[in-house]
Amino acid sequence: MTAPYDPDDREKVVAKLPAALRQELKVRAAQLGVDIKDAVTEGIHSWRADPSPRPQVDTSGGTSFSTYVPTGLYGAFKDDCKSRSLAFNQGLAQAIRLWIDNHPSPGRRAPRPTGARRIIFGNQKGGVGKTATAAGTAQALAEAGYRVLLVDFDPQGHMTRQLGYAMLEIDAPSLAKYMLGEAKGQVRDLLVPIEDGPFGGRLFLLPACKDAFLLDAKLATSRNIRIKETALEKALEPLEKEFDYIVVDCPPSLGFSMDTALYFVRTRDGEDKKASGIVIVVLAEDSSADAYDMLFDQIQDLSEDMNVEITMIGFVVNMYDSRKGYIATSSLDSWKKIGDPPVIAVMPERKEQRESVRLKQPLLAYEPDCEQSEIMRTIAREISQ
């Protein structure tokens, strides 16, 4: 939607709205790739343009909701609500309901002819929040209506456990065994649905396995020289037509497992350069910069050795806190100055993420309105462009 106003000239609007309506607005906006503030602005304009009475919206149990609308619109809208003998909360609820009704869900998307878009989250340095960011982005993509497979490719299995699932046993079929040609049956039999929240059966997890620590060593000693790069792709190939996105949480290493993940997201023949690639999760500190230098070298070496192109989608600067002073702010500036890849999100550290992990619930189901959830949606929109 093209806004007929300066997008920076806005004022804050605060109201109390029921959780169900807020959630429906967030999901529909995500499905259509529209910023919530623009959706609310359009809904208000449509509501003001049609003075006929509208059905009452149940606003009981409403909690705080805030967004930004063009300067001056807030006051004019409040005056309209008053002239129609409506409480402001009811008027805003009607405007949002009108926008939702005028913008139906796009429904089930047809499979892409080139298969799922493939996104990996990586960094050689551990403890940067890579797992939480991968999981949250996958949830946001599923919330937006895409079919998403979330792959826990880290042998530590943090994602699997944080979402409340058990790791696969060492003697059971696993992704690692499929990669090495040691498993029978179908890899789809390993998938578990994540039913929490507004995912509607669109989000699935391929859990980690306790034998994944052996994967690098086995790839290194394989007689098939090409299996080192193609193993992950071959294992997941049967699933590609079933999903719009395959999101992979990579191990914090530069070994053969990371090589095979990078090869998996290379730009394929006939595929847009931005369709697949790697999102690099970093902190606003020097150790992340050192880790990125090593990852960058690995990407360049693999690209040259295999004659492939690997897109670096962008950085997510995680757990950012400007109160840490010069180290944090100057480091953030340094990430932004790189330019290519760009910084696509700056994620503050908030308690909601830690709470959701403690409770073993997806972040967007546990606290869909928190700042971190909104930023996960922003990352998802950047990826899905």
Side-chain angles (χ1 to χ4, degrees):
M1 180 183 71
T2 301
Y5 46 79
D6 183 347
D8 296 323
D9 186 14
R10 292 179 179 269
E11 58 184 332
K12 190 173 185 179
V13 171
V14 179
K16 287 188 177 295
L17 296 176
L21 182 64
R22 297 198 319 270
Q23 183 64 18
E24 191 174 0
L25 170 64
K26 291 177 184 293
V27 171
R28 190 62 49 81
Q31 289 176 336
L32 300 175
V34 177
D35 283 339
I36 288 176
K37 59 181 180 291
D38 290 331
V40 173
T41 296
E42 185 178 349
I44 290 175
H45 282 308
S46 298
W47 183 90
R48 295 187 69 208
D50 181 4
S52 58
R54 303 199 61 79
Q56 291 282 304
V57 177
D58 183 2
T59 59
S60 59
T63 55
S64 181
F65 168 84
S66 64
T67 188
Y68 292 85
V69 300
T71 300
L73 182 59
Y74 186 16
F77 181 54
K78 289 179 72 174
D79 290 342
D80 284 346
C81 290
K82 186 175 181 179
S83 68
R84 298 185 196 185
S85 301
L86 284 176
F88 173 72
N89 289 339
Q90 178 61 218
L92 186 61
Q94 290 184 14
I96 291 172
R97 179 78 263 163
L98 179 60
W99 184 86
I100 293 171
D101 292 344
N102 287 341
H103 296 79
S105 171
R108 185 178 177 87
R109 293 170 168 85
R112 297 175 69 246
T114 54
R117 296 176 67 174
R118 305 162 316 283
I119 309 295
I120 63 174
F121 285 74
N123 192 323
Q124 186 270 342
K125 176 178 169 56
V128 298
K130 173 179 53 63
T131 294
T133 308
T137 302
Q139 293 163 38
L141 288 167
E143 182 187 69
Y146 295 103
R147 300 182 298 276
V148 183
L149 173 61
L150 184 55
V151 179
D152 190 348
F153 195 43
D154 186 341
Q156 298 173 92
H158 290 318
M159 177 181 290
T160 299
R161 293 194 296 268
Q162 287 176 12
L163 291 171
Y165 298 92
M167 294 178 66
L168 300 171
E169 293 297 330
I170 197 166
D171 57 349
S174 67
L175 176 60
K177 289 187 176 66
Y178 279 103
M179 290 175 64
L180 296 166
E182 299 175 355
K184 296 180 180 180
Q186 301 294 320
V187 67
R188 65 174 51 84
D189 294 337
L190 305 181
L191 307 188
V192 293
I194 300 176
E195 301 290 3
D196 310 75
F199 310 131
R202 294 184 297 273
L203 182 60
F204 291 79
L205 171 70
L206 202 170
C209 179
K210 297 176 181 178
D211 68 352
F213 285 103
L214 306 173
L215 182 60
D216 263 14
K218 290 189 175 182
L219 286 173
T221 57
S222 172
R223 294 182 179 180
N224 185 344
I225 191 170
R226 287 295 182 183
I227 198 175
K228 295 178 178 65
E229 289 80 19
T230 63
L232 182 62
E233 179 169 277
K234 288 181 177 178
L236 295 179
E237 184 178 13
L239 302 172
E240 286 199 24
K241 295 295 184 181
E242 300 180 22
F243 293 94
D244 299 304
Y245 285 89
I246 296 178
V247 176
V248 182
D249 179 33
C250 292
S253 74
L254 300 177
F256 290 117
S257 296
M258 193 64 197
D259 273 348
T260 196
L262 287 168
Y263 184 80
F264 178 56
V265 298
R266 77 195 185 284
T267 301
R268 296 175 178 174
D269 291 341
E271 185 176 46
D272 185 89
K273 179 181 176 181
K274 296 182 178 180
S276 301
I278 179 171
V279 174
I280 305 159
V281 184
V282 299
L283 301 180
E285 60 181 35
D286 292 341
S287 61
S288 280
D290 295 338
Y292 169 63
D293 285 343
M294 290 185 283
L295 176 61
F296 179 84
D297 289 342
Q298 182 178 15
I299 292 172
Q300 295 302 112
D301 290 345
L302 183 66
S303 299
E304 293 174 6
D305 291 345
M306 300 295 292
N307 192 27
V308 295
E309 186 172 12
I310 299 168
T311 297
M312 289 185 281
I313 295 171
F315 297 110
V316 173
V317 182
N318 198 27
M319 294 183 276
Y320 178 73
D321 186 349
S322 61
R323 294 174 300 179
K324 293 179 180 178
Y326 175 75
I327 291 176
T329 57
S330 62
S331 180
L332 176 59
D333 289 340
S334 296
W335 289 118
K336 290 181 176 179
K337 286 177 181 177
I338 292 175
D340 185 17
V343 172
I344 60 174
V346 178
M347 184 82 70
E349 186 170 10
R350 294 288 186 267
K351 65 181 179 64
E352 290 86 357
Q353 177 67 61
R354 297 192 298 272
E355 290 172 352
S356 69
V357 169
R358 179 76 176 186
L359 296 171
K360 301 188 184 303
Q361 294 182 21
L363 173 65
L364 270 69
Y366 170 70
E367 192 58 73
D369 297 327
C370 73
E371 184 177 8
Q372 286 181 323
S373 291
E374 292 293 350
I375 296 174
M376 297 298 184
R377 295 183 181 101
T378 297
I379 299 170
R381 283 196 295 271
E382 289 290 330
I383 287 172
S384 60
Q385 288 181 353

